[in-house]
Amino acid sequence: MSSKVRKQIYIEPQQDILLKAIAQQIGISEAEIVRQALNRHLGAVRPPTPNFAAWEAEKAFIAQLKNRSPQLGGRDWRREALYER
């Protein structure tokens, strides 16, 4: 038997009911069902690919804002405008 790392998780009450029922029907532990589910899920997950083009565009936008001359009376943009991009 390989060594295992203990993890404590919280699940919904309905998940607990289903987990117990499936474990009893199949005849394996609840922990084994969780391990198998994790293996299936983690096998399908791919780490996010960084979007360097988007980051470069953001850096250019920030540089553009920094290089602008000061505006009389304060800034000439609204905070909400930043979220419209």
Side-chain angles (χ1 to χ4, degrees):
M1 181 174 160
S2 65
S3 64
K4 296 188 175 39
V5 177
R6 184 179 189 278
K7 296 288 179 186
Q8 182 174 341
I9 62 169
Y10 292 95
I11 60 175
E12 300 293 331
Q14 186 61 29
Q15 291 171 320
D16 185 47
I17 292 168
L18 289 170
L19 185 59
K20 288 182 184 316
I22 292 169
Q24 186 176 22
Q25 288 172 359
I26 297 175
I28 61 176
S29 70
E30 294 175 34
E32 182 59 28
I33 293 171
V34 171
R35 283 191 291 272
Q36 289 177 12
L38 273 172
N39 284 338
R40 279 194 302 276
H41 179 74
L42 294 176
V45 173
R46 299 288 176 254
T49 305
N51 185 343
F52 295 111
W55 176 240
E56 291 301 324
E58 284 300 311
K59 288 188 341 188
F61 174 72
I62 292 168
Q64 176 190 4
L65 289 179
K66 286 173 59 177
N67 292 332
R68 289 174 31 184
S69 59
Q71 303 294 317
L72 293 177
R75 64 182 184 217
D76 65 343
W77 52 273
R78 296 183 348 263
R79 180 179 183 165
E80 295 79 25
L82 297 175
Y83 298 99
E84 293 171 1
R85 294 181 341 107

